[in-house]
Amino acid sequence: MTALTIRTATVADADAMAAIYAHYVLHSVATFDTVPPDPATWAAKVRDGELPFRVGEVDGAIAGFAYLSPYRPKAAYRHTAEDTVYVAPQFLGRGYGRLLLTDVLECAAGTDLRQLIAVIADGGDGASERLHAALGFTVVGRLTAVGCKFDRWIDTVLMQRDVPR
Ligand SMILES: CC(C)(COP(=O)(O)OP(=O)(O)OC[C@H]1O[C@@H](n2cnc3c(N)ncnc32)[C@H](O)[C@@H]1OP(=O)(O)O)[C@@H](O)C(=O)NCCC(=O)NCCS
């Protein structure tokens, strides 16, 4: 299997990230977006974000990405971030999601973050919950029927772990 090379994202990755994310917007409940954001939105996220934003490449193709974003905007939440990880459908099941999430955890260790939260839609294949559990996240809560997509009410599961030190 070809190795995944993980590096910091740049605005040049925006088209690829938009395409990966659009797949999950249109075909899954993994995200509660219903309209895919355009590449300019992704470029702005990369340019303006102050927390780690990483992409994984295989033979020059972007296979997935993972990043951290502020959990909430209010100042006292500044040591807490939410993680996001997406792998392109053609690259699923090869261990890349685990590598990307592991990498972003390692990046978090170099910041002043203390807690990481994953907000996971319950209604897909369970991959994200299992991946996060494998990397030390535990379930800390469930928000019931907070999403409505494809005519279904969807819960979110909240998972949390300390930033590794
Ligand atoms: C979650 C996601 C990133 C996993 O990516 P992946 O590269 O396929 O995952 P990996 O191959 O690294 O597998 C890691 C672990 O995830 C779990 N997993 C992966 N695919 C799974 C599936 N289809 N069903 C159940 N668990 C699965 C397993 O626990 C697996 O560990 P194991 O192989 O030791 O059993 C990917 O499914 C994805 O992009 N999903 C859509 C977006 C999403 O839900 N993102 C998370 C929101 S924050």
Side-chain angles (χ1 to χ4, degrees), residues 24 30 83-87 91-99 119-120 125-128 130-132 134:
Y24 292 103
D83 77 271
T84 299
V85 53
Y86 279 83
V87 170
F91 289 108
L92 290 173
R94 301 186 189 190
Y96 295 163
R98 183 187 289 261
L99 289 171
V119 181
I120 299 171
D125 57 12
S128 181
R130 288 181 58 177
L131 169 62
H132 281 85

Side-chain angles (χ1 to χ4, degrees), residues 32 120 122 141-148 152-158:
F32 284 180
I120 299 171
D122 186 16
R142 170 181 291 270
L143 303 179
T144 306
V146 287
C148 185
R152 287 164 55 196
W153 293 102
I154 305 156
D155 297 354
T156 55
V157 175
L158 305 180

